[in-house]
């Protein structure tokens, strides 16, 4: 009797299919890393929609190559787009194994080895930040969820009443002082939490897009004058737009002086902790109450793998708890560290530790240090290259591998419109994927040098491509 | 010059490693599906922690088999544990390809093909529920985030003031009427949102663990007497503990009569939509305002892949927006459907559509229909088997593939303690993975028949294993 369901799980069919997929992906990798083909095969969304009808019976041998060709190629040296990395191939193999086994990690017995890997990895990452033995944390599905988790812990620790149990109606409305360059996921988290727009009080940045510590006093006064209880300060290491690192030391001084929570969104830049050369950029991060760190940004992992690290690990047990349970019960909740659902929003969590665990074991920490250092180095060299060109403007010298610039031709028209047009044309050409961002001085082009295959030569080509593209047709 | 970083991305090393991993996983699949080895190699968490130190230099050829042996084997016929499925091997290959390419989907240009696949898949799923042409939705990382997303849309639609902008302080405290058997992620979402414990008003269930529609009136009165504005009703298709399906039709009548949002957590049971035989269990689901449906439960996908489906697709644009922007702006926000970040909490989202898209294309919808029907059939047959045994008790006849029961030997002692002991011993034996749940009548054993390889024979073996295990040593 034919049994299509059991056939779909047949190990030998899977073996044959699997070898085919590996070959297809290896061929992709060979081509992409040497710069073959477009980095982004641009197509209009409406036309794209037509290409992918559901359940048509298209066979895998046709479907998967078609999907590969239509997808972005992050391993291409021209990939300079959003802060999503070209993953280590070994890490993708880890994701593959993790996906087949499907050992979720919210409850220990669902994924025992995955849970232990995660816990050890979290402690390893925390130690890299300079956190002490009390530190702890979890991995979660992305930086937005990471920021939400940490801000919930901040709310519970600093509101002065039990918000988890009583709700926002239980006491004074709350406010967080947030660096004006913070990622939009911070505002989104606070608004999800019912704090509204006034719950986010912006702290101005200086001309280098760094949060001004001396502006914290005024922000706090404004929040309090508005009848709000300030729970903490959220700043960046580094900010998304320009890659600027906030001065964590002076900000930590302010937080300590006023008993406020210090939240550091280190989604991108916390990885500086692994680079002896650039570690100084996050000096003071060991004084944060919580740090969010995306492994799918500067640790070459596939999305999603975000660490939420607490200096005092007990705080992580309060984010989703009605009370500081370790104070009220005889037992320490840390005795049950292995059931992660008590500390993460997720009730089923992918076994996201495996890819990073494998890569650290096989390649060692040095590979990551070299990656971070080489990409930050290249970002700074690109900044210097641009500064030397008369027709390019740098809004701020880059500190890491995020570089903003704009093209300012001798005969200026609408500079904002020009940048948008340049970007659209370059993307459509398939040569480079870069993004744009609006800064105080107008719209800028923006690159994140995140592919390990991008060199000075490619960036020189980008400069030339911008010039050529900007010429009237 | 040796370049370890480029070597780590070498296509031929990856090809060789990849073929090795495929063989290892194919061997696992062959063994697990025929029931080799323990389903769950139980180890104490503290001892497990010792097994996985970070960055030790252990080579992949040693590490990955060790991890496989220490992991749960969900494809094993004895896997009857949590509601996480034995994924289709083809789907794991999809996750693999998606992980290497890393084409995130929150912004169209990050993952153009993935975004189009997701959008078409979401419409396909919505149509299966009986939603009309206005329906829309997104995929997100897990049911908890799915419930949060839908409840945020409910809050914005029904609070009567702009909670997103003003925060909970902007108007009356809110309440949701929630079936008492709802998953804890619903309460968690409401408390994240700052609604506190009183923001969740429980609606009692009947003796079959189904929400009682006639109890909604009283719940609403209680909430209003407490000074709360009721925004909606959240119920189950089906509940986690016993797999009971709430009567959606009468509940929808109540919601329509009172202008309330109807949220259906169909994480597990919405898949009944694909089974002609069991579709009746979710009758009325097409009247829900939002439905959450986990593909990593009954659609054989690796975690995480959750659909959040809105009957009126425009509601999905309000979950993270300060206002019903389509009412206030000249343009329709749906014109920008392709930038999903406007509709999902996630700012970087994994390309989670690919595995399900591939499986539907290659196997067709029938495979999923057969899977749902065969697992629900088997759950009901297991219920009948248990009912026929004098020393087993069923708290409720199973409606689907979730079955609760307890062992009641002739000479009764502490029945709760006995179930806990039986479960611990069976798990430690490695023969079966089952869970336990506390119902009104005490602690029960609980299985979810989710592996396609579990047969009546295995369940007969489980009955015998329970008896043997319960005997005094």
């Amino acid at each position: 009797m034919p049994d299509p369901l059991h056939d779909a799980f047949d190990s030998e069919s899977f073996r044959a299919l699997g070898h085919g997929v590996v070959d297809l992906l290896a061929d992709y990798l060979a081509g992409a890393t040497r710069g073959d083909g477009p980095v982004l095969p641009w197509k209009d969304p409406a036309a794209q929609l037509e290409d992918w009808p559901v359940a048509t019976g298209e066979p895998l041998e046709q479907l998967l190559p078609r999907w590969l060709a239509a997808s972005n190629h992050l391993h291409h040296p021209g990939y300079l787009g959003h802060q999503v990395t070209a993953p280590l191939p070994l890490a993708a193999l880890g994701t593959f194994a993790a996906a087949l086994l499907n050992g979720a990690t919210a409850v220990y017995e669902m994924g025992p080895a995955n849970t232990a890997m995660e816990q050890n990895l979290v402690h390893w990452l925390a130690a890299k930040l300079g956190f002490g033995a009390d530190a702890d944390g979890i991995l979660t599905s992305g930086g937005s969820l990471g920021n939400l988790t940490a801000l919930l812990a901040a709310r519970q620790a600093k509101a002065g009443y039990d918000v988890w149990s009583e709700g926002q109606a239980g006491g004074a409305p709350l406010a967080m002082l947030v660096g004006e360059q913070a990622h939009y996921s911070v505002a989104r988290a606070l608004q999800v939490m019912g704090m509204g727009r006034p719950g986010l009080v912006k702290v101005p940045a200086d001309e280098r897009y760094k949060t001004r510590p001396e502006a914290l006093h005024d922000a706090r006064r404004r929040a309090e004058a508005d009848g709000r209880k300030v729970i903490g300060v959220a700043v960046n290491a580094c900010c998304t737009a320009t890659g600027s690192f906030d001065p964590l030391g002076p900000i930590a001084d302010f937080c300590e002086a006023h008993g406020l929570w210090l939240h550091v969104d280190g989604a991108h830049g916390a990885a500086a902790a692994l680079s002896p050369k650039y570690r100084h950029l996050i000096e003071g991060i060991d004084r944060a109450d919580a740090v969010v760190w995306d492994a799918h940004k500067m640790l070459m992992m596939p999305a999603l793998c975000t660490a939420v690290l607490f200096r005092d690990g007990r705080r992580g047990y309060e984010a989703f708890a009605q009370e500081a349970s370790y104070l009220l019960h005889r037992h320490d909740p840390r005795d049950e560290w292995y059931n992660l659902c008590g500390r993460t929003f997720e009730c089923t969590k992918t076994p996201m530790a495996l890819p990073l665990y494998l890569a650290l074991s096989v390649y060692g920490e040095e590979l990551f240090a070299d990656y971070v250092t080489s990409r930050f180095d290249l970002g700074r060299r690109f900044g210097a290259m641009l500064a030397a060109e008369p027709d390019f403007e740098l809004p701020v010298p880059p500190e890491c591998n995020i570089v903003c610039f704009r093209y300012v031709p001798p005969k200026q028209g609408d500079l904002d419109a020009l940048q948008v047009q340049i970007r659209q044309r370059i993307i459509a050409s398939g040569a480079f994927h870069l993004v744009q961002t609006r800064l105080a001085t107008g719209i800028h082009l923006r690159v994140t040098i995140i592919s390990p295959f991008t060199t000075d030569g490619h960036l020189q080509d980008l400069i030339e491509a911008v010039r050529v593209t900007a010429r009237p047709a």
Side-chain angles (χ1 to χ4, degrees), chain A residues 58-116:
Chain A
E58 183 176 4
L60 191 70
E61 312 82 73
Q62 184 180 316
L63 184 45
L64 212 50
R66 194 164 74 81
W67 170 80
L68 264 171
S71 293
N72 292 5
H73 302 143
L74 280 63
H75 296 88
H76 190 291
Y79 180 71
L80 298 161
H82 297 272
Q83 287 155 280
V84 175
T85 201
L88 279 167
L90 177 66
L93 286 168
T95 302
F96 173 32
L100 184 67
L101 274 283
N102 216 17
T105 51
V107 175
Y108 174 71
E109 68 176 50
M110 293 167 84
N114 297 324
T115 300

Side-chain angles (χ1 to χ4, degrees), chain A residues 55-412:
Chain A
T56 59
E58 183 176 4
L60 191 70
E61 312 82 73
Q62 184 180 316
L63 184 45
L64 212 50
R66 194 164 74 81
W67 170 80
L68 264 171
S71 293
N72 292 5
H73 302 143
L74 280 63
H75 296 88
H76 190 291
Y79 180 71
L80 298 161
H82 297 272
Q83 287 155 280
V84 175
T85 201
L88 279 167
L90 177 66
L93 286 168
T95 302
F96 173 32
L100 184 67
L101 274 283
N102 216 17
T105 51
V107 175
Y108 174 71
E109 68 176 50
M110 293 167 84
N114 297 324
T115 300
M117 277 183 176
E118 171 171 336
Q119 183 73 2
N120 286 332
L121 206 48
V122 157
H123 284 149
W124 187 89
L125 291 166
K128 291 294 159 191
L129 295 181
F131 282 170
D134 287 340
D136 206 342
I138 48 108
L139 299 182
T140 194
S141 294
S144 303
L145 209 43
N147 278 328
L148 177 66
T149 303
L151 292 170
L152 287 167
R155 180 176 79 175
Q156 200 63 6
K158 298 294 185 182
Y161 63 100
D162 182 356
V163 186
W164 188 257
S165 295
E166 299 173 37
Q168 302 269 346
L174 307 173
M176 193 86 189
L177 313 182
V178 179
E180 67 169 20
Q181 290 297 316
H183 189 256
Y184 76 96
S185 63
V186 171
R188 179 170 278 200
L190 296 173
Q191 290 180 275
V192 164
M193 288 158 64
M195 289 168 62
R197 287 189 189 285
L200 186 159
V201 178
K202 278 194 187 173
V203 185
D206 65 18
E207 72 291 350
R208 294 166 305 160
Y209 297 90
K210 291 171 181 281
T211 300
R212 294 173 55 228
E214 65 277 15
L216 287 164
H217 293 281
D218 179 58
R220 179 161 165 268
R221 272 192 298 268
R222 276 185 285 132
E224 290 178 353
D226 192 32
R228 295 194 165 250
K229 161 90 178 164
V230 176
I231 57 175
V233 175
V235 294
N236 311 304
C238 51
C239 74
T240 302
T242 57
S244 304
F245 286 78
D246 283 337
L248 301 181
I251 294 168
D253 291 342
F254 176 86
C255 290
E256 281 169 18
H258 298 282
L260 298 178
W261 183 277
L262 174 54
H263 173 82
V264 176
D265 182 348
H268 185 94
L274 302 179
S275 165
K277 183 168 176 184
Y278 291 111
R279 220 210 159 304
H280 66 90
L281 291 171
I282 55 167
E283 201 185 318
I285 203 165
D286 56 314
R287 297 167 66 193
D289 290 285
V291 175
V292 167
W293 181 353
D294 285 354
H296 55 276
K297 291 196 166 73
M298 289 303 290
L299 298 185
M300 296 181 282
M301 290 297 117
L304 295 166
C305 181
T306 294
V308 185
L309 305 165
F310 294 96
R311 179 162 48 86
D312 177 352
R314 291 173 298 187
R315 295 308 186 186
Y317 290 84
E318 295 171 32
F320 305 102
Q322 72 279 28
E323 55 215 343
S325 52
Y326 63 93
L327 294 174
L328 299 173
H329 296 285
R330 261 160 305 179
H331 77 279
D332 187 325
R334 290 173 296 182
D335 293 344
E336 216 186 308
W337 62 266
Y338 46 82
N339 285 324
L340 300 173
C341 56
R343 292 188 277 159
T344 165
F345 180 72
E346 303 183 84
C347 305
T348 299
K349 197 154 76 71
T350 63
M352 60 186 83
L354 182 68
L356 183 55
Y357 185 93
L358 292 180
L360 277 167
S361 187
V362 171
Y363 301 126
E365 181 186 338
E366 301 71 34
L367 191 85
F368 295 89
D370 291 349
Y371 171 70
V372 172
T373 303
S374 83
R375 299 301 87 188
F376 282 26
D377 279 348
L378 186 53
R380 289 172 174 222
R381 288 204 302 276
F382 185 44
M385 284 160 62
L386 290 162
E389 302 289 348
D391 48 350
F392 281 82
E393 259 182 26
L394 271 180
V396 58
E399 293 191 280
C400 66
N401 56 332
I402 296 173
V403 188
C404 290
F405 60 96
R406 61 178 180 170
Y407 184 60
V408 184
K411 205 172 164 186
Q412 296 187 9

